[in-house]
Amino acid sequence: MTATTPAVPAASTVPQERRLSTPFPGPASRALLARRDGAVARGVGVMLPAFVARAGGGVLEDVDGNRLIDFGSGIAVTSVGNAAPEVVAAVQEQVAAFTHTCFMITPYEAYVAVCEELNRRTPGDHEKRSALFNSGAEAVENAVKIARSHTGRDSVVVFDHAYHGRTNLTMAMTAKNMPYKHGFGPFAGEIYRAPMSYPLHDGLSGEDAARRAISVIDKQVGADEVAALVVEPIQGEGGFVVPAPGFLPALAAYAREIGAVFVADEIQTGFCRTGDVFACEHETVVPDLVTTAKGIAGGLPLAGVTGRAEVMDAPHVGGLGGTYGGNPVTCAAALAAMRTMDALDLAARAREIEAVMVPRLRELAARFPAIREVRGRGAMLAVELADPATVEPAAGLTGAVSKHCHGEGLVTLTCGTYGNVLRFLPPLVIPRTLLDEGLDILEGAFAATA
Ligand code: PLZ
């Protein structure tokens, strides 16, 4: 880092207000959508075809000048805000200094500094090491490599409804077939699935749900063959499933007992999203390894694996790496994003967002019986929808409510194994006025659809 820091604007320059043309999306987006259809593989879907021109804070502005309220953060990425001023300044400075060397060839300070920050910020005060990668899936792959190298064992245990990525190994670890796995096999071997704690559906205490999972692992995998247990402390794509209290601590204790590596996939939950810096902290669970990505660098592609020094240092010298992992521009962005999290106390902001949103969501649940549950923590919140008569998952209604929100200029996402969960992941810097307006739009969407 040089001594001269460029002037940083105090806040986003994109006006923090919703604005919609008629029709929406407008003509410029429609033209780009037609070009997209002729150029981009159809496998890469588009949820809301408003092509973005610039973004900031809690607003996305499209090429027609429409301004959308962002309740998605690009899938839990722009927690510090889109184009966060300090991130922009750090990236500009770094990109002008040098763009790439490959850390494995000629190293640079920012990579080391990010690892120091990860070692300091992740749960537990034991001796830690980190390694950096490009995407969440790549971090999960490397956590598995490290755990196998450390234990000399092959088997990896994952859970029902899990999402860990789209590469071959992580597709095997991901539970849901459509759209992630259909037609893309055969998948990597030695992946075993155990039942998750899903209080709404199993009614079990955390301890009982853990006993059920541990029995499956003991009988169907074999305790002394398990290299790693990999679990999302709150499941993301699988439906914002919050395990019952006691489930994660019991699994961590079991992993310790059988000599397996306990890996917390905090890719979606990490970096203040749930009101703690990491979701594991909520139950003071200390994982052996933590995978991070998404919120780590304000939108630049960076991921990490952090954990016990003796586990992380198991692979031989040269056994971990990649051309771009921990690219200097992404590392500069991460350091700036972490400074922003500290300066603005974004964990507290996530708790404030929960305090505003949960009462409104509960009011909606009281009014619309299709809402079976309001759940989540911090600014990682969701409602699960079912047919009130049959209690069957209401995927159609979930999609319709979300689409209605999109038409009103509110970016909402869905998730869940059954596609019946509407999830909310606003940037942690979203102004209160936009939060309230987004909730009003959501209420209108239920009134119009449910
Ligand atoms: N682990 C817990 O949430 C990414 C996927 C979006 P990558 N989730 C969003 C999609 O449809 O592809 C995720 C996650 C958890 C791993 C990943 C994978 O992270 O950066 O997308 O590879």
Side-chain angles (χ1 to χ4, degrees), residues 358-379:
V358 167
R360 292 278 313 264
L361 295 175
R362 288 203 199 291
E363 273 170 41
L364 281 185
R367 219 175 117 196
F368 300 101
I371 301 179
R372 279 204 76 200
E373 187 173 57
V374 176
R375 62 171 178 257
R377 232 170 28 233

Side-chain angles (χ1 to χ4, degrees), residues 94-119:
Q94 179 59 51
V95 87
F98 66 97
T99 49
H100 174 82
T101 64
C102 186
F103 186 76
M104 304 184 301
I105 305 303
T106 46
Y108 40 88
E109 180 184 350
Y111 188 115
V112 179
V114 169
C115 291
E116 287 168 348
E117 289 298 334
L118 285 170
N119 297 348

